[in-house]
């Protein structure tokens, strides 16, 4: 007789329930979130009939953490159940809205018992792919933090120091540039900036790592920062300068984290067997390629078809049909990290691949908005990536985007 386990996890403890094929509760309990609690869970498995040849599958509402790592190491099948799906299953058994941790554990075990085929088991990714995922996601988070703090700095400068935006916003990377942050740290207010001498400006640029065209940029900055402009009252200006310095510290930390993590993830990604195939695609360098690999993993059994991968990335549309009406809509439930990487991938490929440019232009000519055309290009790339990773082939421009046939005379 088969056995199935559901674990309702929490911060300090976890409720578990083990059911048999008939849905009867064989064992249930609550264990602490520590090594002793995990050992107690394994004891409950063994008492229920868990063996090396017939490991009890587990349903749990997460796909990461120490407990998931421990369950993965035991070799059993793990079903990470989406919390939204779990809430829909809960209403099947109780319409009153009642809820308890022990009942949720039973519900999760029942999901595995009755509907395991409707849910994806946790993929068997290698440790290398999981390590890339950790670093790639951390780097992506750092980039998003950098963008957020950069927007806050820009918004604050508009309020009292627009000359700083004039000085750096038109340059590549704008306020993210190390020299921009160095000059702002040296003079966080218009009054302090106007008082900067040439040697002080030169020293600020050198602290940022600049060594070329210093005299040219010193003169340019002095001209902009000394231009007469509207000012806040002195006391308010000073307060805003203090606020800017606090933001700059967070901005600097996010910039440094993004750069450091990018270097580490690029090195780790280059050592992965799939790296050369992924980076053979136009628009995918080491960093974007690492983000793609981090989200799709290296378990080739995870996506049996390219269609599943496209749906997971949110590149494939969904169809809603009712009666005589049919709607084709953009997919909102998706892996947002992979979708974000796909936007960068599709945009970069337009410059690197003539075929991608033809495909994009054809979609735009057919009435697609810019983002729709990019998403369709990403959708096509995903199908090609699935094929290349499955067959261990590199991207081929002529096969991916065959040139148009000449029109017969």
């Amino acid at each position: 007789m088969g056995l199935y386990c559901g674990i309702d996890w929490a911060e300090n403890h976890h409720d578990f329930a083990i059911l048999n094929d008939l849905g009867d509760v064989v064992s249930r309990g609550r264990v602490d979130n520590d090594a002793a609690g995990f050992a107690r869970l394994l004891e409950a498995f063994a008492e229920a009939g868990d063996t090396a040849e017939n490991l009890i599958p587990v349903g749990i509402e997460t796909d990461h953490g120490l407990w998931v790592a421990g369950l993965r190491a035991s070799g059993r099948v793990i079903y990470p159940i989406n919390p939204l799906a779990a809430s829909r299953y809960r209403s099947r058994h109780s319409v009153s809205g009642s809820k308890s941790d022990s009942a949720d554990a039973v519900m999760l075990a029942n999901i595995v018992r009755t509907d395991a085929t409707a849910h994806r088991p946790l993929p068997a990714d290698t440790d290398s792919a999981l390590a890339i995922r950790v670093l790639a996601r951390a780097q992506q988070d750092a980039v998003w933090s950098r963008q957020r703090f950069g927007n806050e700095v820009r918004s604050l400068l508009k309020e009292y120091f627009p000359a700083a935006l004039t000085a750096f916003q038109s340059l590549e990377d704008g306020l993210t540039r190390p020299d921009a942050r160095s000059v702002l740290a040296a003079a966080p207010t218009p009054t302090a900036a106007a008082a900067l001498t040439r040697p002080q400006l030169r020293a600020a640029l050198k602290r940022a790592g600049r060594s070329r065209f210093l005299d040219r940029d010193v003169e340019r900055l002095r001209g902009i920062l000394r231009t007469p402009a509207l000012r806040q009252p002195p006391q308010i200006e000073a307060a805003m300068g203090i606020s800017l310095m606090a933001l700059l510290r967070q901005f600097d930390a996010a910039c440094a984290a993004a750069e450091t993590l990018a270097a580490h993830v690029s090195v780790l990604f280059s050592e992965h067997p799939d790296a050369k195939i992924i980076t053979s695609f136009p628009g995918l360098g080491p960093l974007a390629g690492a983000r793609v690999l981090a989200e799709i993993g290296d378990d080739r059994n995870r996506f049996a078809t390219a269609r599943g991968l496209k749906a997971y990335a949110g590149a494939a549309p969904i169809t809603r049909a009712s009666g005589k009406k049919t709607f084709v809509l953009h997919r909102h439930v998706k892996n947002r990290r992979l979708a974000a990487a796909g936007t960068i991938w599709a945009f970069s490929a337009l410059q690197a691949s003539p075929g991608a440019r033809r495909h994009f232009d054809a979609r735009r000519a057919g009435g697609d908005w810019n983002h729709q055309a990019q998403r369709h290009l990403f959708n096509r790339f995903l199908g090609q990536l699935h094929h290349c990773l499955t067959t261990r082939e590199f991207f081929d421009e002529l096969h991916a985007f065959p040139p148009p046939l000449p029109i017969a005379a």
Side-chain angles (χ1 to χ4, degrees), residues 18 28 71 133 137 156 163 176 192 232-233 241 247 269 277 293-294 300 302 325 348 373 375 381 403:
I18 302 174
R28 69 194 311 170
L71 292 169
R133 178 179 303 168
R137 288 183 173 181
L156 180 59
T176 308
Q232 293 279 3
L247 269 179
F269 173 68
I277 295 176
L293 177 62
R300 298 283 78 86
R302 182 180 187 182
K325 296 182 178 180
S348 301
R375 186 169 64 246
F381 272 139

Side-chain angles (χ1 to χ4, degrees), residues 12-30:
N12 299 317
H13 61 264
H14 311 295
D15 285 78
F16 72 89
I18 302 174
L19 310 184
N20 60 21
D21 280 331
L22 301 177
D24 300 324
V25 177
V26 175
S27 177
R28 69 194 311 170
R30 172 173 288 185

Side-chain angles (χ1 to χ4, degrees), residues 287-300:
L287 188 53
R291 290 181 182 176
V292 170
L293 177 62
E295 302 309 322
I296 68 175
D298 58 2
D299 180 4
R300 298 283 78 86

Side-chain angles (χ1 to χ4, degrees), residues 303-326:
F303 301 104
T305 64
R307 183 178 181 181
L309 175 58
K310 294 175 180 180
Y312 177 71
I318 58 173
T319 302
R320 296 177 63 91
S322 178
K324 297 181 179 180
K325 296 182 178 180
T326 301

Side-chain angles (χ1 to χ4, degrees), residues 17-209:
I18 302 174
L19 310 184
N20 60 21
D21 280 331
L22 301 177
D24 300 324
V25 177
V26 175
S27 177
R28 69 194 311 170
R30 172 173 288 185
V31 294
D32 292 332
N33 183 28
D34 54 20
F38 190 77
R40 173 67 190 94
L41 176 67
L42 295 182
E43 289 176 4
F45 282 164
E47 292 168 0
D50 186 56
T51 64
E53 295 76 23
N54 190 22
L55 294 169
I56 298 176
V58 174
I60 186 170
E61 289 180 276
T62 184
D63 62 352
H64 58 275
L66 288 173
W67 271 60
V68 172
L71 292 169
R72 180 198 294 272
S74 69
R76 66 191 71 252
V77 179
I78 305 170
Y79 291 92
I81 308 299
N82 187 293
L84 181 61
S87 69
R88 298 295 186 267
Y89 275 100
R90 189 180 297 115
S91 63
R92 291 173 55 184
H93 301 280
S94 174
V95 296
S96 66
S98 62
K99 180 186 181 302
S100 69
D101 293 343
S102 60
D104 280 355
V106 173
M107 174 196 67
L108 291 168
N110 267 316
I111 293 175
V112 178
R113 181 177 68 89
T114 61
D115 291 334
T117 56
H119 298 272
R120 293 184 185 275
L122 196 68
D125 293 326
T126 63
D127 289 347
S128 175
L130 294 175
I132 291 172
R133 178 179 303 168
V134 171
L135 291 178
R137 288 183 173 181
Q139 199 276 336
Q140 194 173 36
D141 288 339
V143 169
W144 288 340
S145 294
R146 182 179 66 189
Q147 182 65 46
R148 183 175 71 255
F149 288 126
N151 288 340
E152 291 183 15
V153 169
R154 184 179 297 107
S155 178
L156 180 59
L157 290 174
K158 285 181 180 179
E159 294 293 323
Y160 81 109
F161 195 1
L165 296 179
T166 304
F168 296 107
Q169 202 165 25
S170 61
L171 302 179
E172 184 179 1
D173 295 332
L175 295 174
T176 308
R177 297 168 58 92
D179 53 354
R181 291 180 279 123
S182 180
V183 171
L184 287 175
T189 64
T191 302
L196 283 176
T197 63
R198 289 183 176 86
Q200 288 173 330
L201 272 173
R202 189 182 184 89
L205 295 178
K206 283 187 173 181
R207 283 195 298 271

Side-chain angles (χ1 to χ4, degrees), residues 260-302:
T260 301
L261 288 167
H264 284 291
V265 73
S266 297
V267 171
L268 194 58
F269 173 68
S270 66
E271 299 170 353
H272 194 279
D274 291 345
K276 291 184 178 179
I277 295 176
I278 292 175
T279 54
S280 69
F281 279 75
L284 282 184
L287 188 53
R291 290 181 182 176
V292 170
L293 177 62
E295 302 309 322
I296 68 175
D298 58 2
D299 180 4
R300 298 283 78 86
N301 296 318
R302 182 180 187 182

